[in-house]
Amino acid sequence: MTKIAFRKMLSANDVGTTGGHQGGVLIPKGEKDLLAFLPHLDPSVKNPDAWLSCADPDGTPRKFRFVYYNNKLHDTKGTRNEYRITHMTGWFRSMGAREGDLFEIARDAGSPVYVVSVIMGGDQDRIDLELPSRIQLRGWRRVH
């Protein structure tokens, strides 16, 4: 089977260390491959969502919510127009995730279950890509 995977370097907001309230890990609208990898959410519906059936690398089942906050499209004074994966902060804490670590979401083609993991020391990933040390990877990227 073909495995598809995406990684994101975690921010302090992602792992809940800033004390602020964040509505989950952001999925930018420009990340077309990642959005195609996740369930389709109908933009004609206000704030559509889908629960992702996930598993840790050790097989522990997890449920995360994939949501398209789109009240800007539906309400006169709406301001939000963004995709997020929510209900993750507790899991990140239980995994010991910290800013700079990598979050990976993967799935075998045809499987309904996503495999989620935290890769400690995400800066090592930057070294593996042989990029100059001054470049700081942020956001999502597909893993090949």
Side-chain angles (χ1 to χ4, degrees):
M1 290 196 157
T2 303
K3 176 183 168 183
I4 301 170
F6 292 87
R7 290 182 181 167
K8 179 193 187 300
M9 184 176 288
L10 294 170
S11 69
N13 271 344
D14 292 332
V15 296
T17 59
T18 62
H21 173 71
Q22 177 174 291
V25 175
L26 179 69
I27 310 288
K29 291 188 297 291
E31 293 289 344
K32 302 295 185 195
D33 289 344
L34 178 55
L35 289 171
F37 171 74
L38 296 166
H40 174 73
L41 299 178
D42 184 354
S44 69
V45 174
K46 183 178 177 180
N47 299 335
D49 67 348
W51 286 94
L52 304 177
S53 294
C54 301
D56 285 349
D58 65 1
T60 303
R62 304 286 175 180
K63 291 278 190 185
F64 299 124
R65 182 178 177 234
F66 176 49
V67 60
Y68 179 26
Y69 291 113
N70 62 4
N71 69 0
K72 185 174 185 175
L73 306 177
H74 296 274
D75 299 336
T76 306
K77 295 184 180 184
T79 59
R80 295 183 79 183
N81 187 16
E82 61 195 27
Y83 293 90
R84 291 195 176 264
I85 300 176
T86 64
H87 294 261
M88 300 185 80
T89 305
W91 178 72
F92 282 144
R93 287 183 181 146
S94 74
M95 297 297 294
R98 296 169 33 164
E99 178 181 6
D101 291 342
L102 294 173
F103 166 63
E104 181 176 283
I105 184 167
R107 184 169 49 96
D108 287 327
S111 174
V113 177
Y114 296 87
V115 177
V116 292
S117 58
V118 174
I119 302 165
M120 305 300 182
D123 283 357
Q124 181 62 42
D125 193 65
R126 184 181 67 228
I127 293 166
D128 292 344
L129 291 173
E130 299 179 6
L131 293 174
S133 61
R134 71 178 185 277
I135 293 177
Q136 191 76 342
L137 289 178
R138 296 286 180 210
W140 290 92
R141 67 181 185 81
R142 185 166 177 175
V143 181
H144 297 281

